[in-house]
């Protein structure tokens, strides 16, 4: 268990660190900057993965086997039942590693935190948690129709934090819009980081958009989910 | 003696038809293949974008051009997305189900060697996505706009060698997957150890970052460790970093590790099966 945690902590950012070791910084973008954005994203992903693991498993474990029928009979919130159907403690490893990396990077960048910054950081994590939970929920909602073939969800989980490796100033506009307005990926990682460290001339309060953005995405997702539940046809035996 | 031989032949045939059945079964999910291919393609495009930025704007990009230029990295990324599909990411769900609900008992009643029986199954489970999803990814790689396009192989001999080492890579991945499976037979360890050994293999295979771009001090170790054979060695043949004259040892390394993994997996599995606890009821 402890080894596993350690391994996740080491291997997650290893590609990024080696790449900077090879190439050096890009203009103002040092390894710490990118790592900070990445760490914020990974922490919220870890949170979503720990507490809403059930949704992540849902299409594979519940729809195809028909176990979902049983949940429908119980007089409790469907979402809570599905979310809590699996819980993996070791997934918190990702959260822990993300938090440690965040603090380490903030220190390396010599940023002193004010209480407003800490609020912003916490809101960023919450927004991220909602966003990633939203991704899982959308996938589950769509799984009602497709049953299998959900690999594209990785575009919004694993691939989305690959996007954070790309320095903002150099990111193509299409990606920037996709991950700001459709999935608020940049809202939950880049903007809070930029506000806290003072990288941009933009308003400081842009960093607070994380939570509303995440919540909005989550609401959108739960709409898809509810649509799916209404059209659910049982499979399996 | 002859009876033993006949048994062997029958076993091989049985494994082969198992392979056949499972391949046919997984070919049904074409849509899943297409969905997966989209993910791979987008992933590759983002990777190329990031590398492009690093090569163009980073401080010491000049020193790098010696190791691998951007064009080669792009080809590497496409091929990695293709070869990545062979890597064992977890224990095959069907087999895992059998281990956890006690169907191992039934499997043991079959007059087949369990190791090769499962080996055939795992191999087949890998092959269908490789063909569906993999060919879609490669096609996309060849038809991208020129700054994202993958290059053709450097020489015909390099291509042939790549095919040979591709085949070994497939066996290597499967035999390592079987080793993980044998470890998983010890139920009360849970998912942890398997997850870890598969993760290490994934990192060391070069799919996160081409092995050539890792720190220089590690290069010798990186080539000799088993997981270079997953995708780094085949790709090096394709790119011409390894050639007929100076590269045949790399295939030797792959073969060596295949033998090691099969031996280890088989002996571990046989030992485990002697005192296996059948679950469920």
């Amino acid at each position: 268990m402890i080894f596993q945690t350690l391994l996740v902590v080491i291997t997650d950012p290893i590609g990024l660190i080696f790449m900077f070791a090879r190439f050096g910084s890009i203009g103002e973008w040092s390894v710490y900057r990118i790592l900070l954005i990445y760490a914020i994203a990974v922490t919220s992903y870890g949170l979503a993965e720990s507490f809403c693991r059930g949704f992540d498993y849902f299409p594979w474990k519940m729809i195809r086997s028909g176990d979902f029928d049983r949940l429908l009979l119980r007089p409790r919130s469907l979402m809570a039942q599905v979310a809590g159907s699996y819980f993996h403690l070791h997934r918190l490893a990702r959260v822990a590693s993300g938090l440690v990396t965040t603090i380490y990077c903030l220190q390396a960048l010599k940023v002193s935190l004010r209480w407003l910054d800490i609020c912003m950081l916490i809101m960023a994590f919450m927004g991220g948690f909602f966003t990633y939970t939203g991704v899982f929920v959308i996938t589950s909602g769509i799984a009602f129709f497709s049953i299998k073939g959900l690999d594209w969800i990785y575009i919004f989980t694993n691939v989305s934090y690959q996007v954070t490796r790309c320095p903002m100033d150099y990111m193509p506009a299409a990606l920037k819009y996709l991950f700001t307005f459709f999935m608020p990926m940049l809202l939950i990682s880049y903007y809070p980081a930029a506000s806290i460290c003072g990288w941009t001339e933009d308003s400081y309060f842009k960093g607070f958009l994380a939570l509303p953005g995440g919540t909005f995405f989550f609401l959108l997702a739960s709409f898809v989910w509810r649509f799916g539940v209404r059209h659910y046809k049982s499979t399996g035996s | 003696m002859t009876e033993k031989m006949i048994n062997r032949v029958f076993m091989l045939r049985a494994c082969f038809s198992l392979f056949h059945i499972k391949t046919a079964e997984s070919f049904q999910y074409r849509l899943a293949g297409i969905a997966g291919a989209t993910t791979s393609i987008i992933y590759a495009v983002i990777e190329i974008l990031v590398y492009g930025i690093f090569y163009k704007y980073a401080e010491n990009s000049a020193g790098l051009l010696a190791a691998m230029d951007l064009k080669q990295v792009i080809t590497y990324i496409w091929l990695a997305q293709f070869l990545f599909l062979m890597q064992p990411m977890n224990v095959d769900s069907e087999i895992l189900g059998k281990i956890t609900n006690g169907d191992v008992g039934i499997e043991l009643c079959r007059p087949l060697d369990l190791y090769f029986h499962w080996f055939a199954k795992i191999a087949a489970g890998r092959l269908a996505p490789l063909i569906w999803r993999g060919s879609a990814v490669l096609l996309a790689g060849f038809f991208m706009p020129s700054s994202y396009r993958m290059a053709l192989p450097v020489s015909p001999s390099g291509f042939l060698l790549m095919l040979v080492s591709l085949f070994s890579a497939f066996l290597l991945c499967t035999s390592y997957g079987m080793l993980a499976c044998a470890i998983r037979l010890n139920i009360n360890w849970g998912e942890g150890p398997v997850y870890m050994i598969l993760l290490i293999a994934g990192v060391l295979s070069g799919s996160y970052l081409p092995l050539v771009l890792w720190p220089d001090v590690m290069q010798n170790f990186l080539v000799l460790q088993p997981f270079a054979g997953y995708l780094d060695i085949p790709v090096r043949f394709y790119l011409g970093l390894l050639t007929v004259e100076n590269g045949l040892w790399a295939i030797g390394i792959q073969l060596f590790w295949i033998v090691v993994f099969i031996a280890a997996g088989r002996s571990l599995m046989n030992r485990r099966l002697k005192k296996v606890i059948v679950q469920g009821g």
Side-chain angles (χ1 to χ4, degrees), chain B residues 189-209:
Chain B
W189 281 4
E191 300 275 0
V194 172
Y195 176 81
M196 285 198 287
I197 66 166
L198 293 179
L199 182 65
I200 291 178
V203 173
L204 288 176
S205 72
S207 50
Y208 283 35
L209 182 74

Side-chain angles (χ1 to χ4, degrees), chain A:
Chain A
M1 172 76 197
I2 289 173
F3 280 122
Q4 200 175 339
T5 316
L6 210 74
L7 199 68
V8 173
V9 175
I10 296 170
T11 54
D12 244 10
I14 204 167
L16 194 69
I17 291 168
F18 281 164
M19 224 160 125
F20 272 97
R22 268 272 157 191
F23 289 85
S25 312
I26 304 178
E28 293 195 319
W29 292 81
S30 63
V31 66
Y32 298 112
R33 272 198 180 193
I34 300 275
L35 205 57
L36 176 65
I37 300 174
Y38 178 82
I40 294 177
V42 165
T43 311
S44 14
Y45 179 58
L47 280 172
E49 218 187 17
S50 314
F51 294 106
C52 295
R53 188 78 191 143
F55 272 113
D56 195 8
Y57 272 148
F58 177 77
W60 286 271
K61 299 245 164 151
M62 281 204 176
I63 290 254
R64 284 183 75 199
S65 63
D67 279 347
F68 186 61
D69 295 10
R70 289 200 302 206
L71 296 191
L72 285 170
L73 294 175
R74 295 184 194 150
R76 285 284 178 275
S77 150
L78 266 181
M79 271 200 169
Q81 285 190 59
V82 174
S85 58
Y86 291 89
F87 184 78
H88 281 212
L89 195 62
H90 69 245
R91 298 278 162 183
L92 283 172
R94 193 164 263 152
V95 181
S97 78
L99 276 177
V100 171
T101 318
T102 308
I103 293 166
Y104 173 74
C105 288
L106 283 173
Q107 239 154 32
L109 288 167
K110 301 203 176 59
V111 176
S112 51
L113 290 175
R114 291 172 301 154
W115 66 268
L116 202 59
D117 294 331
I118 295 174
C119 278
M120 184 181 283
L121 207 56
I122 291 171
M123 278 173 79
F125 290 145
M126 278 161 66
F129 169 71
F130 278 125
T131 308
Y132 278 113
T133 310
V135 173
F136 294 148
V137 171
I138 285 192
T139 323
S140 304
I142 291 173
F144 285 113
F145 303 101
S146 64
I147 312 296
K148 205 184 168 177
L150 288 161
D151 283 357
W152 59 267
I153 184 201
Y154 296 120
I155 297 174
F156 294 106
T157 53
N158 297 10
V159 180
S160 74
Y161 58 76
Q162 296 304 317
V163 174
T164 60
R165 290 202 322 203
C166 190
M168 240 331 233
D169 308 341
Y170 302 93
M171 197 184 284
L175 275 183
K176 216 185 270 184
Y177 291 133
L178 177 69
F179 285 106
T180 309
F181 294 112
F182 177 62
M183 183 195 170
M185 182 66 211
L186 296 173
L187 285 186
I188 59 149
S189 56
Y190 168 73
Y191 287 113
S195 291
I196 289 170
C197 305
W199 296 334
T200 52
E201 261 93 79
D202 290 352
S203 159
Y204 174 80
F205 292 95
K206 231 177 166 178
F208 282 114
L209 281 174
L211 191 53
T215 319
F216 183 74
F217 186 73
F218 180 75
L219 287 178
L220 193 83
S222 58
F223 182 72
V224 174
W225 161 258
R226 249 176 268 149
F227 185 75
V229 173
R230 232 179 301 141
H231 292 260
Y232 171 63
K233 291 190 198 73
S234 185
T235 57
S237 55

Side-chain angles (χ1 to χ4, degrees), chain A residues 4 22-25 152 165, chain B residues 47 59-60 64 213-214 216:
Chain A
Q4 200 175 339
R22 268 272 157 191
F23 289 85
S25 312
W152 59 267
R165 290 202 322 203
Chain B
E47 287 253 287
E59 275 167 357
N60 42 1
L64 267 163
L213 298 182
W214 286 47
D216 289 327

